[in-house]
Amino acid sequence: MKIVGKVAKRIEAHEKAYGEAKYTPDLYLDRMIYAGVVYSNVPHGILKSIDISEAENVSGIIKVATYKDVPGTNKFGVLIKDMWFLVPVGEKIRFEHDAIALIAGETKEAVEEAIKKVKFEIEELQPVLTIEESIKDEIKVHDPESNIAFHKKIRRGEIDKAFENADLVIEREFRTDYQEQAYLETQGAVAYYDGEIMKIYASMQCPFYVQEDVSEILDIPFNKVDVIQMETGGGFGGKEDVPSYIASKAALLSYLTKRPVKLIYSREHDIKETSKRHPSKSHYKVAFKKDGTLLGVKVESYLDMGAYSTLSPIVMYRTLTHAAGAYNVPNVHVDVYGVYTNKVPCGAFRGFGSPQVLFAIERVMDEAAEKLNIDPWEIRYKNALEVGAETSTGHKLEFSVGAKKTLENIKKLSNYEELKKEVEEFNKTNKIKKRGLGWSHIIYGVSLGAGGQHLDASNSEVHVFPDGTINIMFGGTEIGQGSKTAISMIVSEILGQKLEKIKVLQTDTFIVQDSGPTVASRTTIFSGNAAKDAAEKIKNNILEFLSDKFDVEKSDIEINLGYYKIKDKNFTFDEIAKMANDANVKLNESGWFKSPKLHFDMENGVGEAYVTYTYSTQLSLVEVDTLTGKIDVKKMWISHDIGKAINYDGVIGQIQGGAVQGMGHAIMEEIMQKEGKIITDNFNNYIIPTIKDIPEIVADVVEEEFPYGPFGAKGIGEPSLMTAPPSIANAVAHATGKKITKIPISMEDII
Ligand code: MOS
């Protein structure tokens, strides 16, 4: 191939490095005013009254809006509309950052002052703060239903027989805690309503979700809501559904004032209000044969949804389908419950409900290996998936299963047998510092999967100009992950234009069709295939024209990077484009890709859960200071089977970044709360890894091509995070000889 699979510079690198790229806060429109939000600051209660008169009188204030000002639906919710946009008087407050009023003013200072002047009374109620309290159902978060709002299950094979036939049964409870996405750019939006069209500019992963929500809140049709994604400084799932809440607030104020309104969240408000990874509690009971063969997995898992359901039922689907891990296991019995509490609503975060259970099953695999006296690599290899095997949901795998290859590669790359001896030697000679090695082996479903097929399609638009330059717009978004570059490389490969002459425009709902969200590691497959489709149509238009003009077979025209060779003569792509344009050839096309049909029995959780899967392996070397409890991750070896790397360096970057974020989840990051209020609300007390924490990383790519992916590609966005927490936890367990049953592992836990 000419460019796919090679290393390319990020196409937007220059503008980002020079500070020229336009993020939402960089946008200033004529007559623009600033917005702020009045929050409940109480985790549970009933709103008794609101008095905005004093706030309205603050100099510079243009509008104070409450629930009475909402023209359309005053509610949010992806599956269930259980969340107020602005809480009405007489209704319930369910977490500390429920919104009560919105304020727009000439300056940020005026808005801050007015926020303090909004008077409201809340009759406080006892909050529900833990999964255990929630399950008791003594205090209800949403009357009159139970706090256990959702249940999903897998019933496959005969789980009781598996336990009867087992030589070893491991039973254990695992806990995982919150993780904050910690995107560097906080949430923000600018809205401008001119009386006809509502334009929204925002930092987000899914402009189409924002379009739908703004349309419902304001009761205006989709064709009058134009949502344009600005450069986005990270998302990690945190900008999947959440930007609707921010954009709708700015939109209402603009609708009421007919002025452009800017709303940018402070880090504190962002951490307190927006979704995080779900805390979880999971009970595992797993059956093995003496030789390590996995016979059955039984799981009961509870996810803490917080105050509103938002994306939780969809997150739970991923918890369900990943609970039994990356292995060939015939008997699977899983129950996943989503429970309400009076805390921040949880939602999408890179991995989307799977890190909680992948951590658990991978701890079980290590414990089984230890009890059966089998090497932890061996037990994974023995049970690993391959072509012809079935996943834990019974999806028969026909192609692209590089699971064993990732295990083999890491064993070799790490020189595992030698490494084991070195670690043993180190531990013999060191009393306080102890080293450990930990494996993880995971599977990750790429695409929205069986439950989300109605959203699993994408549009891309490709436009070749007469001078040969190309513009692309795709329905996914660039959120820092590198999709603009990968998709430009796909178009470059097909049309033969050089990367530096290709530009990707910001996603705009008035131009591309609803392409679903940029999530689920689906953008390379979906937007990539759609761009490939559009580029191939244009290529075909050009080749037909050239074949006619030069009297050659289409197949005799050679497409190279930057030029075409026709009858021994070279023409630059720019020359070809000019010729074609002047001959009235169609040079803009629309591409489309939709999910292959998946067969899945929702009642029993059995069938084809996802379009395809990424398979991954990690080995970590850690050093634990048994005196201070400090864990030092010294080295990580990581391999992912991603089908095909489109931009090789981009893939390595994703592997490194994901692993470091996973390391943060495993040993550093902790959301602390007091009586339902988050106290770690900035980066001085919510500690994420920085460059000094990053260990040496050996990254490896396995390419078992996926026949329906662009050039065989699958996805790397999320699997990159998932291998690290179990691998590091297993290494800490190995180093200390202690059972590790929760993440994050704090220094206190070690002590
Ligand atoms: Mo991603 S966690 O699927 O937004």
Side-chain angles (χ1 to χ4, degrees):
M1 273 183 281
K2 300 183 280 287
I3 183 161
V4 161
K6 307 209 162 46
V7 169
K9 195 176 81 178
R10 282 283 189 107
I11 68 161
E12 83 284 21
H14 184 280
E15 57 206 76
K16 282 183 175 169
Y18 278 73
E20 291 158 3
K22 287 267 180 292
Y23 293 81
T24 308
D26 298 322
L27 197 61
Y28 291 90
L29 302 179
D30 251 7
R31 300 171 62 243
M32 192 174 82
I33 51 178
Y34 296 89
V37 187
V38 177
Y39 293 109
S40 61
N41 292 320
V42 163
H44 200 192
I46 294 164
L47 183 61
K48 289 295 189 189
S49 65
I50 312 175
D51 176 2
I52 60 171
S53 52
E54 260 186 66
E56 282 178 319
N57 286 332
V58 171
S59 142
I61 292 305
I62 314 287
K63 180 73 197 171
V64 181
T66 67
Y67 68 100
K68 289 182 185 160
D69 297 295
V70 182
T73 315
N74 184 23
K75 286 207 157 181
F76 286 120
V78 180
L79 287 189
I80 299 181
K81 294 217 176 280
D82 59 0
M83 178 175 179
W84 293 110
F85 168 51
L86 290 171
V87 182
V89 168
E91 294 290 346
K92 261 180 125 182
I93 302 290
R94 296 192 175 89
F95 88 113
E96 62 164 324
H97 258 225
D98 265 322
I100 288 174
L102 304 174
I103 299 180
E106 297 285 357
T107 63
K108 292 180 205 170
E109 292 72 21
V111 170
E112 284 309 315
E113 200 191 325
I115 286 174
K116 289 184 224 140
K117 299 254 161 88
V118 172
K119 302 269 179 297
F120 57 92
E121 290 169 300
I122 295 173
E123 180 192 323
E124 292 198 33
L125 298 169
Q126 178 84 17
V128 178
L129 299 178
T130 62
I131 290 174
E132 284 79 0
E133 283 170 32
S134 174
I135 293 170
K136 274 193 212 148
D137 261 339
E138 282 165 9
I139 303 165
K140 300 271 174 50
V141 179
H142 289 263
D143 293 320
E145 306 92 357
S146 164
N147 287 329
I148 305 175
F150 303 98
H151 174 213
K152 289 191 187 295
K153 61 182 196 287
I154 297 177
R155 297 289 181 267
R156 177 165 171 256
E158 294 175 89
I159 195 68
D160 294 332
K161 281 232 176 86
F163 293 123
E164 277 167 33
N165 298 332
D167 297 314
L168 171 72
V169 174
I170 292 187
E171 205 170 345
R172 201 160 291 288
E173 193 167 285
F174 296 96
R175 282 183 172 271
T176 66
D177 214 332
Y178 289 101
Q179 189 182 16
E180 157 63 35
Q181 292 87 353
Y183 30 71
L184 284 186
E185 183 206 6
T186 58
Q187 306 266 354
V190 171
Y192 180 40
Y193 185 60
D194 63 5
E196 162 86 33
I197 305 286
M198 173 63 75
K199 271 197 187 294
I200 306 275
Y201 306 88
S203 180
M204 62 195 152
Q205 291 175 227
C206 187
F208 310 98
Y209 284 174
V210 172
Q211 185 187 30
E212 183 178 345
D213 282 314
V214 168
S215 162
E216 282 187 22
I217 298 270
L218 298 181
D219 193 23
I220 53 179
F222 278 41
N223 73 342
K224 294 190 172 162
V225 183
D226 186 10
V227 182
I228 298 151
Q229 189 229 7
M230 298 297 287
E231 287 289 358
T232 295
F236 307 109
K239 291 174 186 166
E240 180 176 348
D241 58 327
V242 171
S244 286
Y245 315 151
I246 291 89
S248 297
K249 289 180 175 99
L252 176 66
L253 289 170
S254 182
Y255 181 86
L256 297 171
T257 61
K258 306 267 193 306
R259 290 181 66 170
V261 174
K262 183 185 253 185
L263 176 59
I264 307 291
Y265 275 20
S266 67
R267 182 63 64 184
E268 289 82 356
H269 286 316
D270 193 304
I271 289 184
K272 278 171 169 282
E273 177 177 335
T274 72
S275 68
K276 326 226 168 302
R277 194 183 298 298
H278 293 74
S280 73
K281 172 177 138 164
S282 303
H283 188 266
Y284 269 70
K285 189 175 172 189
V286 184
F288 293 89
K289 279 209 295 209
K290 242 201 289 288
D291 66 356
T293 306
L294 199 45
L295 290 178
V297 177
K298 188 174 182 183
V299 182
E300 191 179 89
S301 188
Y302 291 87
L303 295 188
D304 182 343
M305 303 193 296
Y308 301 104
S309 61
T310 67
L311 288 163
S312 288
I314 312 167
V315 172
M316 287 166 60
Y317 173 74
R318 210 172 262 280
T319 309
L320 184 82
T321 53
H322 291 73
Y327 305 106
N328 200 340
V329 50
N331 305 296
V332 181
H333 183 114
V334 184
D335 292 284
V336 181
Y337 300 94
V339 307
Y340 284 123
T341 56
N342 290 112
K343 294 181 297 180
V344 62
C346 289
F349 188 162
R350 206 176 196 177
F352 209 71
S354 72
Q356 290 89 336
V357 285
L358 289 170
F359 158 69
I361 186 71
E362 285 303 283
R363 283 295 301 130
V364 170
M365 293 305 279
D366 255 35
E367 205 178 323
E370 196 188 325
K371 292 224 164 86
L372 296 168
N373 202 20
I374 302 172
D375 185 90
W377 181 89
E378 202 66 49
I379 198 167
R380 288 177 169 84
Y381 194 78
K382 188 178 190 62
N383 291 291
L385 292 165
E386 50 199 352
V387 169
E390 291 182 355
T391 67
S392 67
T393 68
H395 186 171
K396 186 153 192 228
L397 300 167
E398 316 269 4
F399 38 69
S400 188
V401 189
K404 287 194 162 172
K405 193 88 198 296
T406 64
L407 279 159
E408 287 160 8
N409 286 6
I410 294 305
K411 193 178 184 186
K412 258 184 255 153
L413 283 169
S414 65
N415 206 354
Y416 181 49
E417 297 304 331
E418 277 308 302
L419 193 59
K420 275 200 284 189
K421 283 180 212 147
E422 282 170 32
V423 167
E424 217 172 291
E425 200 48 43
F426 180 94
N427 288 342
K428 257 188 230 155
T429 49
N430 284 275
K431 235 177 124 179
I432 290 168
K433 295 208 169 171
K434 294 289 175 191
R435 288 191 173 178
L437 288 168
W439 287 94
S440 68
H441 178 62
I442 64 121
I443 182 172
Y444 195 76
V446 176
S447 76
L448 295 171
Q453 286 182 82
H454 59 292
L455 285 174
D456 241 352
S458 278
N459 172 211
S460 293
E461 300 289 332
V462 178
H463 187 162
V464 176
F465 292 93
D467 65 353
T469 56
I470 299 176
N471 279 358
I472 302 172
M473 188 185 291
F474 54 89
T477 52
E478 166 72 57
I479 55 175
Q481 84 280 44
S483 61
K484 278 185 179 176
T485 308
I487 285 163
S488 299
M489 287 171 85
I490 290 169
V491 170
S492 166
E493 182 70 41
I494 291 164
L495 285 174
Q497 179 56 302
K498 290 182 193 158
L499 216 49
E500 55 267 32
K501 300 223 172 175
I502 300 179
K503 178 165 180 61
V504 180
L505 304 173
Q506 294 303 117
T507 313
D508 182 334
T509 58
F510 271 12
I511 297 176
V512 282
Q513 189 182 334
D514 184 350
S515 300
T518 293
V519 302
S521 309
R522 68 189 281 272
T523 306
T524 302
I525 294 182
F526 284 79
S527 288
N529 267 331
K532 186 164 175 272
D533 182 36
E536 270 164 357
K537 285 177 186 161
I538 297 172
K539 179 175 98 175
N540 205 43
N541 299 347
I542 293 175
L543 291 185
E544 259 172 29
F545 154 70
L546 293 174
S547 144
D548 206 41
K549 182 177 167 82
F550 292 93
D551 194 23
V552 288
E553 288 297 314
K554 282 198 271 184
S555 53
D556 288 335
I557 299 170
E558 199 184 293
I559 303 182
N560 299 291
L561 200 56
Y563 67 96
Y564 286 32
K565 192 170 170 188
I566 308 166
K567 289 186 168 168
D568 290 324
K569 198 165 178 309
N570 287 348
F571 298 88
T572 63
F573 184 83
D574 307 355
E575 289 166 341
I576 298 277
K578 176 89 176 83
M579 269 191 270
N581 183 72
D582 291 351
N584 298 342
V585 175
K586 188 166 194 292
L587 293 175
N588 73 325
E589 290 283 358
S590 189
W592 187 248
F593 179 74
K594 64 177 183 185
S595 169
K597 177 108 189 90
L598 300 173
H599 301 276
F600 194 82
D601 164 7
M602 279 292 167
E603 181 54 32
N604 294 302
V606 173
E608 298 162 349
Y610 297 94
V611 172
T612 188
Y613 304 87
T614 291
Y615 306 89
S616 319
T617 296
Q618 180 167 334
L619 176 67
S620 302
L621 170 65
V622 306
E623 189 174 294
V624 180
D625 186 324
T626 56
L627 212 57
T628 63
K630 178 138 181 12
I631 300 165
D632 185 13
V633 178
K634 300 203 81 73
K635 195 163 174 179
M636 308 195 273
W637 295 261
I638 309 160
S639 178
H640 294 271
D641 166 25
I642 60 159
K644 173 81 192 166
I646 302 289
N647 179 10
Y648 186 82
D649 260 14
V651 170
I652 299 299
Q654 282 284 56
I655 295 174
Q656 294 167 336
V660 171
Q661 199 168 32
M663 180 183 87
H665 186 33
I667 61 173
M668 297 176 77
E669 301 180 30
E670 197 178 353
I671 288 284
M672 289 190 244
Q673 305 188 51
K674 202 174 170 200
E675 287 151 15
K677 297 185 187 184
I678 292 175
I679 51 178
T680 48
D681 64 358
N682 211 324
F683 293 147
N684 58 342
N685 44 25
Y686 184 79
I687 308 297
I688 64 171
T690 63
I691 198 159
K692 289 192 80 176
D693 301 299
I694 300 177
E696 187 183 346
I697 299 171
V698 177
D700 174 63
V701 177
V702 170
E703 296 182 319
E704 288 290 329
E705 290 188 8
F706 167 51
Y708 303 110
F711 302 101
K714 301 194 278 192
I716 183 63
E718 297 165 285
S720 55
L721 184 144
M722 252 79 65
T723 54
S727 165
I728 291 167
N730 282 336
V732 172
H734 180 215
T736 58
K738 300 288 177 198
K739 305 242 177 313
I740 302 290
T741 57
K742 72 170 263 277
I743 45 173
I745 311 164
S746 65
M747 291 165 80
E748 289 83 355
D749 291 333
I750 297 292
I751 298 296

